[in-house]
Amino acid sequence: YAAAGQTVTIRRDGDRLFMKVQGTAPEGPLIPRSETRFQGPFGLIIEFQVDGQRATVEQGPYRIPLERK
């Protein structure tokens, strides 16, 4: 996924998802909160759209749309 010049990599390892933001930030697990909503590292919330092509990252009052690359 990509937004505002940043790349966010989501990967699956078995039944777990992990998120890595481009740069020096470490990869972290995504903890399921619902079928499409996950808690990520640094207090991020990521919500996947059912079509699999889009996601939204929330941090505090900010919502950043992501497009699948």
Side-chain angles (χ1 to χ4, degrees):
Y1 292 89
Q6 290 284 348
T7 298
V8 177
T9 301
I10 308 293
R11 72 175 184 88
R12 185 175 76 189
D13 185 4
D15 63 351
R16 298 181 65 199
L17 291 176
F18 293 87
M19 175 180 177
K20 169 83 169 95
V21 178
Q22 177 183 342
T24 60
E27 178 181 76
L30 291 176
I31 301 163
R33 299 296 183 211
S34 76
E35 194 171 302
T36 58
R37 198 168 169 89
F38 294 81
Q39 173 89 38
F42 316 111
L44 295 175
I45 299 291
I46 186 163
E47 185 165 6
F48 295 97
Q49 304 304 312
V50 177
D51 67 7
Q53 298 302 309
R54 292 180 299 275
T56 302
V57 171
E58 298 175 22
Q59 186 171 31
Y62 304 103
R63 293 179 56 85
I64 304 162
L66 302 175
E67 292 291 327
R68 190 169 190 157
K69 287 177 72 176

